[in-house]
Amino acid sequence: MVHDDATVSRRVRALETELERRGIVDGGMLDDILDRLLAHSTPRQGARVIAHAWVDEAFRRRLLDDGNAAIAELGLSMSHGPAPQRLRVVENTERVHNVVVCTLCSCYPISLLGPSPSWYKSESYRSRVVRWPREVLAEFGLELSVKVEIRVWDASAETRYLVIPGRPVGTENATEDGLSALVTRAGMIGTAAV
């Protein structure tokens, strides 16, 4: 997946400059928000959520029903800026595969997945996965049967998405920590199986 980080960086800087110019935030305030957010933002947080959902059916149902409330049970939150984002959780099954994108920019649950991968921010991924999801997933090495429906979820400033990947076969006796170690960021975005 080819992308142009310089274009994204310029757009981010232009947005920061405009927010500062309008007095909405100042540079120090923005740095403080980012420092707090990134201090504990790692894919291990999301992996912990997924592993818990795999071993606790009631938690999995609550997670699918109200992502924000469910992750709060684990001491996690989507409230890192002036307004909290809604966490919508979707689940891969034998018949449905979910993949996440933000077509406008790169909205993404940083607190659960850490900083977004560069390909997620690329114009190529953002425009193509909506139109040709099966082909884009194949580029990531994920070949899905034509019988599997692919659902593409478009994140926004208000709503972020997390994919519960299918639990790997043969992990019935694995511990929650062991399961957590199997979960990848790409799996929680939907561009890989776990």
Side-chain angles (χ1 to χ4, degrees):
M1 182 91 20
V2 177
H3 61 282
D4 181 4
D5 283 340
T7 300
V8 173
S9 295
R10 282 192 302 272
R11 289 171 50 196
V12 168
R13 185 62 206 136
L15 177 60
E16 289 173 350
T17 300
E18 187 61 21
L19 290 171
E20 290 173 9
R21 186 187 71 73
R22 291 183 183 196
I24 297 170
V25 297
D26 63 42
M29 180 185 192
L30 206 48
D31 288 343
D32 288 344
I33 291 169
L34 289 173
D35 288 346
R36 281 195 318 272
L37 174 63
L38 295 176
H40 302 288
S41 299
T42 168
R44 288 187 304 274
Q45 300 289 21
R48 189 166 63 105
V49 171
I50 299 305
H52 194 62
W54 283 342
V55 300
D56 183 334
E57 177 64 22
F59 176 79
R60 185 188 67 76
R61 285 193 307 270
R62 290 191 304 276
L63 185 63
L64 291 166
D65 201 38
D66 183 345
N68 293 70
I71 66 169
E73 295 174 31
L74 300 178
L76 301 170
S77 170
M78 295 295 291
S79 302
H80 300 288
Q85 294 108 21
R86 175 177 178 241
L87 178 64
R88 179 138 186 230
V89 180
V90 294
E91 181 177 33
N92 288 345
T93 67
E94 290 181 7
R95 294 184 186 160
V96 175
H97 182 87
N98 297 282
V99 63
V100 179
V101 66
C102 178
T103 56
L104 294 178
C105 53
S106 58
C107 294
Y108 173 89
I110 293 172
S111 61
L112 298 177
L113 302 182
S116 59
S118 56
W119 56 261
Y120 185 85
K121 298 176 265 191
S122 73
E123 285 187 44
S124 176
Y125 175 77
R126 291 181 5 242
S127 63
R128 294 175 62 241
V129 76
V130 174
R131 291 181 287 183
W132 305 293
R134 196 170 301 280
E135 291 80 1
V136 170
L137 293 175
E139 291 172 19
F140 281 96
L142 183 58
E143 301 277 347
L144 297 171
S145 164
V146 294
K147 294 178 181 179
V148 174
E149 175 189 353
I150 299 174
R151 294 181 185 161
V152 179
W153 299 94
D154 194 359
S156 69
E158 296 82 24
T159 304
R160 308 298 164 93
Y161 289 88
L162 178 70
V163 174
I164 301 176
R167 183 173 174 168
V169 175
T171 62
E172 296 77 22
N173 297 320
T175 66
E176 195 167 320
D177 286 341
L179 289 169
S180 180
L182 300 175
V183 180
T184 64
R185 178 173 59 179
M188 294 181 282
I189 297 171
T191 56
V194 174

mmCIF file of all heavy atoms in Angstrom, residues 80-113:
data_model
loop_
_atom_site.group_PDB
_atom_site.id
_atom_site.type_symbol
_atom_site.label_atom_id
_atom_site.label_comp_id
_atom_site.label_asym_id
_atom_site.label_seq_id
_atom_site.Cartn_x
_atom_site.Cartn_y
_atom_site.Cartn_z
ATOM 1 N N HIS A 80 -10.577 11.608 25.693
ATOM 2 C CA HIS A 80 -9.219 12.136 25.787
ATOM 3 C C HIS A 80 -9.101 13.569 25.310
ATOM 4 O O HIS A 80 -8.023 14.125 25.301
ATOM 5 C CB HIS A 80 -8.257 11.255 24.989
ATOM 6 C CG HIS A 80 -8.231 9.856 25.493
ATOM 7 N ND1 HIS A 80 -7.658 9.508 26.673
ATOM 8 C CD2 HIS A 80 -8.764 8.729 24.987
ATOM 9 C CE1 HIS A 80 -7.805 8.216 26.877
ATOM 10 N NE2 HIS A 80 -8.487 7.727 25.866
ATOM 11 N N GLY A 81 -10.153 14.144 24.893
ATOM 12 C CA GLY A 81 -10.116 15.518 24.408
ATOM 13 C C GLY A 81 -11.336 16.248 24.910
ATOM 14 O O GLY A 81 -11.965 15.832 25.881
ATOM 15 N N PRO A 82 -11.697 17.321 24.246
ATOM 16 C CA PRO A 82 -12.844 18.109 24.684
ATOM 17 C C PRO A 82 -14.160 17.327 24.641
ATOM 18 O O PRO A 82 -15.035 17.547 25.454
ATOM 19 C CB PRO A 82 -12.880 19.283 23.710
ATOM 20 C CG PRO A 82 -11.733 19.145 22.796
ATOM 21 C CD PRO A 82 -11.012 17.880 23.105
ATOM 22 N N ALA A 83 -14.298 16.397 23.690
ATOM 23 C CA ALA A 83 -15.533 15.617 23.580
ATOM 24 C C ALA A 83 -15.177 14.147 23.397
ATOM 25 O O ALA A 83 -14.351 13.810 22.560
ATOM 26 C CB ALA A 83 -16.347 16.097 22.386
ATOM 27 N N PRO A 84 -15.805 13.255 24.176
ATOM 28 C CA PRO A 84 -15.516 11.825 24.023
ATOM 29 C C PRO A 84 -16.065 11.299 22.701
ATOM 30 O O PRO A 84 -17.064 11.811 22.194
ATOM 31 C CB PRO A 84 -16.229 11.184 25.206
ATOM 32 C CG PRO A 84 -17.305 12.137 25.573
ATOM 33 C CD PRO A 84 -16.795 13.510 25.220
ATOM 34 N N GLN A 85 -15.385 10.307 22.164
ATOM 35 C CA GLN A 85 -15.886 9.662 20.952
ATOM 36 C C GLN A 85 -16.695 8.439 21.343
ATOM 37 O O GLN A 85 -16.428 7.801 22.349
ATOM 38 C CB GLN A 85 -14.732 9.206 20.057
ATOM 39 C CG GLN A 85 -13.912 10.317 19.487
ATOM 40 C CD GLN A 85 -12.550 10.387 20.133
ATOM 41 O OE1 GLN A 85 -12.073 9.439 20.705
ATOM 42 N NE2 GLN A 85 -11.933 11.538 20.025
ATOM 43 N N ARG A 86 -17.659 8.128 20.516
ATOM 44 C CA ARG A 86 -18.451 6.913 20.702
ATOM 45 C C ARG A 86 -17.654 5.751 20.128
ATOM 46 O O ARG A 86 -17.116 5.846 19.022
ATOM 47 C CB ARG A 86 -19.774 7.043 19.956
ATOM 48 C CG ARG A 86 -20.604 5.784 19.998
ATOM 49 C CD ARG A 86 -21.945 6.007 19.296
ATOM 50 N NE ARG A 86 -22.688 4.780 19.301
ATOM 51 C CZ ARG A 86 -23.061 4.149 18.187
ATOM 52 N NH1 ARG A 86 -22.770 4.639 17.003
ATOM 53 N NH2 ARG A 86 -23.747 3.027 18.264
ATOM 54 N N LEU A 87 -17.542 4.669 20.881
ATOM 55 C CA LEU A 87 -16.877 3.468 20.393
ATOM 56 C C LEU A 87 -17.940 2.477 19.943
ATOM 57 O O LEU A 87 -18.757 2.019 20.738
ATOM 58 C CB LEU A 87 -16.006 2.830 21.481
ATOM 59 C CG LEU A 87 -15.321 1.530 21.061
ATOM 60 C CD1 LEU A 87 -14.328 1.783 19.925
ATOM 61 C CD2 LEU A 87 -14.636 0.879 22.258
ATOM 62 N N ARG A 88 -17.919 2.183 18.680
ATOM 63 C CA ARG A 88 -18.824 1.170 18.127
ATOM 64 C C ARG A 88 -17.982 -0.063 17.832
ATOM 65 O O ARG A 88 -16.956 0.020 17.165
ATOM 66 C CB ARG A 88 -19.481 1.688 16.850
ATOM 67 C CG ARG A 88 -20.389 0.659 16.238
ATOM 68 C CD ARG A 88 -21.680 1.244 15.745
ATOM 69 N NE ARG A 88 -22.538 0.153 15.297
ATOM 70 C CZ ARG A 88 -23.134 0.138 14.132
ATOM 71 N NH1 ARG A 88 -23.003 1.139 13.300
ATOM 72 N NH2 ARG A 88 -23.880 -0.886 13.797
ATOM 73 N N VAL A 89 -18.412 -1.193 18.358
ATOM 74 C CA VAL A 89 -17.672 -2.440 18.195
ATOM 75 C C VAL A 89 -18.465 -3.365 17.282
ATOM 76 O O VAL A 89 -19.679 -3.529 17.439
ATOM 77 C CB VAL A 89 -17.427 -3.111 19.569
ATOM 78 C CG1 VAL A 89 -16.647 -4.405 19.405
ATOM 79 C CG2 VAL A 89 -16.670 -2.143 20.485
ATOM 80 N N VAL A 90 -17.772 -3.936 16.301
ATOM 81 C CA VAL A 90 -18.378 -4.863 15.350
ATOM 82 C C VAL A 90 -17.600 -6.178 15.422
ATOM 83 O O VAL A 90 -16.435 -6.192 15.805
ATOM 84 C CB VAL A 90 -18.391 -4.282 13.919
ATOM 85 C CG1 VAL A 90 -19.312 -3.067 13.841
ATOM 86 C CG2 VAL A 90 -16.991 -3.902 13.458
ATOM 87 N N GLU A 91 -18.243 -7.265 15.056
ATOM 88 C CA GLU A 91 -17.643 -8.587 15.250
ATOM 89 C C GLU A 91 -17.562 -9.368 13.944
ATOM 90 O O GLU A 91 -18.536 -9.452 13.201
ATOM 91 C CB GLU A 91 -18.480 -9.358 16.261
ATOM 92 C CG GLU A 91 -17.970 -10.731 16.572
ATOM 93 C CD GLU A 91 -18.800 -11.414 17.639
ATOM 94 O OE1 GLU A 91 -20.035 -11.183 17.708
ATOM 95 O OE2 GLU A 91 -18.218 -12.184 18.404
ATOM 96 N N ASN A 92 -16.398 -9.931 13.688
ATOM 97 C CA ASN A 92 -16.243 -10.817 12.540
ATOM 98 C C ASN A 92 -16.828 -12.179 12.881
ATOM 99 O O ASN A 92 -16.688 -12.666 14.007
ATOM 100 C CB ASN A 92 -14.769 -10.969 12.162
ATOM 101 C CG ASN A 92 -14.220 -9.716 11.524
ATOM 102 O OD1 ASN A 92 -14.956 -8.838 11.106
ATOM 103 N ND2 ASN A 92 -12.909 -9.634 11.429
ATOM 104 N N THR A 93 -17.499 -12.768 11.892
ATOM 105 C CA THR A 93 -18.082 -14.101 12.034
ATOM 106 C C THR A 93 -17.678 -14.914 10.813
ATOM 107 O O THR A 93 -16.963 -14.426 9.935
ATOM 108 C CB THR A 93 -19.625 -14.031 12.121
ATOM 109 O OG1 THR A 93 -20.139 -13.588 10.847
ATOM 110 C CG2 THR A 93 -20.088 -13.092 13.224
ATOM 111 N N GLU A 94 -18.167 -16.131 10.733
ATOM 112 C CA GLU A 94 -17.874 -16.951 9.556
ATOM 113 C C GLU A 94 -18.496 -16.362 8.294
ATOM 114 O O GLU A 94 -18.012 -16.602 7.197
ATOM 115 C CB GLU A 94 -18.386 -18.376 9.768
ATOM 116 C CG GLU A 94 -17.596 -19.139 10.806
ATOM 117 C CD GLU A 94 -18.109 -20.558 10.978
ATOM 118 O OE1 GLU A 94 -19.000 -20.996 10.201
ATOM 119 O OE2 GLU A 94 -17.619 -21.233 11.896
ATOM 120 N N ARG A 95 -19.569 -15.597 8.448
ATOM 121 C CA ARG A 95 -20.291 -15.053 7.288
ATOM 122 C C ARG A 95 -20.005 -13.584 6.995
ATOM 123 O O ARG A 95 -20.276 -13.112 5.896
ATOM 124 C CB ARG A 95 -21.781 -15.207 7.495
ATOM 125 C CG ARG A 95 -22.224 -16.627 7.532
ATOM 126 C CD ARG A 95 -23.702 -16.694 7.640
ATOM 127 N NE ARG A 95 -24.121 -18.077 7.810
ATOM 128 C CZ ARG A 95 -25.274 -18.438 8.293
ATOM 129 N NH1 ARG A 95 -26.147 -17.533 8.644
ATOM 130 N NH2 ARG A 95 -25.576 -19.707 8.415
ATOM 131 N N VAL A 96 -19.511 -12.843 8.014
ATOM 132 C CA VAL A 96 -19.308 -11.395 7.863
ATOM 133 C C VAL A 96 -17.901 -11.025 8.325
ATOM 134 O O VAL A 96 -17.462 -11.446 9.390
ATOM 135 C CB VAL A 96 -20.345 -10.602 8.691
ATOM 136 C CG1 VAL A 96 -20.069 -9.112 8.629
ATOM 137 C CG2 VAL A 96 -21.755 -10.903 8.220
ATOM 138 N N HIS A 97 -17.232 -10.227 7.504
ATOM 139 C CA HIS A 97 -15.925 -9.681 7.882
ATOM 140 C C HIS A 97 -16.041 -8.158 7.865
ATOM 141 O O HIS A 97 -16.533 -7.574 6.910
ATOM 142 C CB HIS A 97 -14.828 -10.126 6.912
ATOM 143 C CG HIS A 97 -13.490 -9.626 7.320
ATOM 144 N ND1 HIS A 97 -12.686 -10.298 8.202
ATOM 145 C CD2 HIS A 97 -12.831 -8.480 7.016
ATOM 146 C CE1 HIS A 97 -11.586 -9.612 8.416
ATOM 147 N NE2 HIS A 97 -11.655 -8.494 7.708
ATOM 148 N N ASN A 98 -15.588 -7.528 8.941
ATOM 149 C CA ASN A 98 -15.652 -6.076 9.074
ATOM 150 C C ASN A 98 -14.276 -5.467 8.895
ATOM 151 O O ASN A 98 -13.269 -6.025 9.353
ATOM 152 C CB ASN A 98 -16.169 -5.715 10.476
ATOM 153 C CG ASN A 98 -17.568 -6.227 10.693
ATOM 154 O OD1 ASN A 98 -18.525 -5.641 10.224
ATOM 155 N ND2 ASN A 98 -17.697 -7.346 11.403
ATOM 156 N N VAL A 99 -14.242 -4.306 8.264
ATOM 157 C CA VAL A 99 -13.003 -3.556 8.111
ATOM 158 C C VAL A 99 -13.319 -2.082 8.339
ATOM 159 O O VAL A 99 -14.411 -1.605 8.006
ATOM 160 C CB VAL A 99 -12.349 -3.800 6.732
ATOM 161 C CG1 VAL A 99 -13.221 -3.320 5.589
ATOM 162 C CG2 VAL A 99 -10.956 -3.185 6.660
ATOM 163 N N VAL A 100 -12.372 -1.380 8.938
ATOM 164 C CA VAL A 100 -12.584 0.017 9.334
ATOM 165 C C VAL A 100 -11.722 0.942 8.484
ATOM 166 O O VAL A 100 -10.585 0.633 8.153
ATOM 167 C CB VAL A 100 -12.239 0.200 10.831
ATOM 168 C CG1 VAL A 100 -12.435 1.647 11.254
ATOM 169 C CG2 VAL A 100 -13.062 -0.737 11.695
ATOM 170 N N VAL A 101 -12.289 2.100 8.192
ATOM 171 C CA VAL A 101 -11.590 3.153 7.458
ATOM 172 C C VAL A 101 -12.141 4.487 7.941
ATOM 173 O O VAL A 101 -13.209 4.539 8.543
ATOM 174 C CB VAL A 101 -11.825 3.006 5.925
ATOM 175 C CG1 VAL A 101 -13.285 3.234 5.570
ATOM 176 C CG2 VAL A 101 -10.930 3.937 5.121
ATOM 177 N N CYS A 102 -11.408 5.540 7.703
ATOM 178 C CA CYS A 102 -11.938 6.889 7.856
ATOM 179 C C CYS A 102 -11.703 7.566 6.523
ATOM 180 O O CYS A 102 -10.567 7.898 6.181
ATOM 181 C CB CYS A 102 -11.246 7.654 8.987
ATOM 182 S SG CYS A 102 -11.877 9.340 9.135
ATOM 183 N N THR A 103 -12.755 7.744 5.746
ATOM 184 C CA THR A 103 -12.593 8.258 4.388
ATOM 185 C C THR A 103 -12.225 9.735 4.355
ATOM 186 O O THR A 103 -11.645 10.197 3.378
ATOM 187 C CB THR A 103 -13.870 8.034 3.552
ATOM 188 O OG1 THR A 103 -14.977 8.626 4.222
ATOM 189 C CG2 THR A 103 -14.110 6.557 3.328
ATOM 190 N N LEU A 104 -12.545 10.487 5.398
ATOM 191 C CA LEU A 104 -12.257 11.923 5.390
ATOM 192 C C LEU A 104 -10.847 12.253 5.861
ATOM 193 O O LEU A 104 -10.221 13.181 5.368
ATOM 194 C CB LEU A 104 -13.276 12.674 6.249
ATOM 195 C CG LEU A 104 -14.698 12.646 5.724
ATOM 196 C CD1 LEU A 104 -15.628 13.369 6.684
ATOM 197 C CD2 LEU A 104 -14.767 13.272 4.346
ATOM 198 N N CYS A 105 -10.361 11.537 6.842
ATOM 199 C CA CYS A 105 -9.021 11.846 7.355
ATOM 200 C C CYS A 105 -8.405 10.562 7.898
ATOM 201 O O CYS A 105 -8.046 9.695 7.126
ATOM 202 C CB CYS A 105 -9.074 12.940 8.406
ATOM 203 S SG CYS A 105 -10.239 12.591 9.745
ATOM 204 N N SER A 106 -8.325 10.408 9.196
ATOM 205 C CA SER A 106 -7.777 9.176 9.759
ATOM 206 C C SER A 106 -8.309 8.946 11.173
ATOM 207 O O SER A 106 -7.563 8.547 12.055
ATOM 208 C CB SER A 106 -6.256 9.221 9.746
ATOM 209 O OG SER A 106 -5.797 10.346 10.482
ATOM 210 N N CYS A 107 -9.597 9.199 11.393
ATOM 211 C CA CYS A 107 -10.193 8.971 12.713
ATOM 212 C C CYS A 107 -10.022 7.509 13.087
ATOM 213 O O CYS A 107 -10.237 6.611 12.270
ATOM 214 C CB CYS A 107 -11.676 9.337 12.694
ATOM 215 S SG CYS A 107 -11.950 11.102 12.446
ATOM 216 N N TYR A 108 -9.677 7.291 14.351
ATOM 217 C CA TYR A 108 -9.167 5.983 14.747
ATOM 218 C C TYR A 108 -9.124 5.936 16.271
ATOM 219 O O TYR A 108 -8.837 6.947 16.909
ATOM 220 C CB TYR A 108 -7.773 5.931 14.125
ATOM 221 C CG TYR A 108 -6.861 4.811 14.439
ATOM 222 C CD1 TYR A 108 -6.865 3.653 13.678
ATOM 223 C CD2 TYR A 108 -5.919 4.936 15.449
ATOM 224 C CE1 TYR A 108 -5.964 2.640 13.936
ATOM 225 C CE2 TYR A 108 -5.024 3.925 15.704
ATOM 226 C CZ TYR A 108 -5.056 2.774 14.944
ATOM 227 O OH TYR A 108 -4.158 1.779 15.189
ATOM 228 N N PRO A 109 -9.402 4.797 16.916
ATOM 229 C CA PRO A 109 -9.403 4.722 18.382
ATOM 230 C C PRO A 109 -7.984 4.619 18.959
ATOM 231 O O PRO A 109 -7.536 3.561 19.390
ATOM 232 C CB PRO A 109 -10.238 3.472 18.669
ATOM 233 C CG PRO A 109 -9.985 2.588 17.489
ATOM 234 C CD PRO A 109 -9.839 3.529 16.314
ATOM 235 N N ILE A 110 -7.272 5.721 18.964
ATOM 236 C CA ILE A 110 -5.866 5.745 19.392
ATOM 237 C C ILE A 110 -5.694 5.174 20.792
ATOM 238 O O ILE A 110 -4.734 4.444 21.061
ATOM 239 C CB ILE A 110 -5.304 7.177 19.317
ATOM 240 C CG1 ILE A 110 -5.221 7.628 17.864
ATOM 241 C CG2 ILE A 110 -3.927 7.270 19.981
ATOM 242 C CD1 ILE A 110 -4.864 9.092 17.686
ATOM 243 N N SER A 111 -6.625 5.463 21.697
ATOM 244 C CA SER A 111 -6.465 4.998 23.075
ATOM 245 C C SER A 111 -6.463 3.472 23.160
ATOM 246 O O SER A 111 -5.873 2.910 24.076
ATOM 247 C CB SER A 111 -7.558 5.575 23.971
ATOM 248 O OG SER A 111 -8.828 5.155 23.525
ATOM 249 N N LEU A 112 -7.085 2.792 22.202
ATOM 250 C CA LEU A 112 -7.127 1.335 22.214
ATOM 251 C C LEU A 112 -6.126 0.683 21.269
ATOM 252 O O LEU A 112 -5.741 -0.459 21.469
ATOM 253 C CB LEU A 112 -8.531 0.837 21.841
ATOM 254 C CG LEU A 112 -9.658 1.241 22.778
ATOM 255 C CD1 LEU A 112 -10.991 0.750 22.243
ATOM 256 C CD2 LEU A 112 -9.413 0.710 24.181
ATOM 257 N N LEU A 113 -5.733 1.402 20.224
ATOM 258 C CA LEU A 113 -4.873 0.797 19.205
ATOM 259 C C LEU A 113 -3.523 1.483 19.050
ATOM 260 O O LEU A 113 -2.722 1.080 18.212
ATOM 261 C CB LEU A 113 -5.594 0.795 17.848
ATOM 262 C CG LEU A 113 -6.934 0.068 17.792
ATOM 263 C CD1 LEU A 113 -7.498 0.096 16.391
ATOM 264 C CD2 LEU A 113 -6.811 -1.345 18.298
#
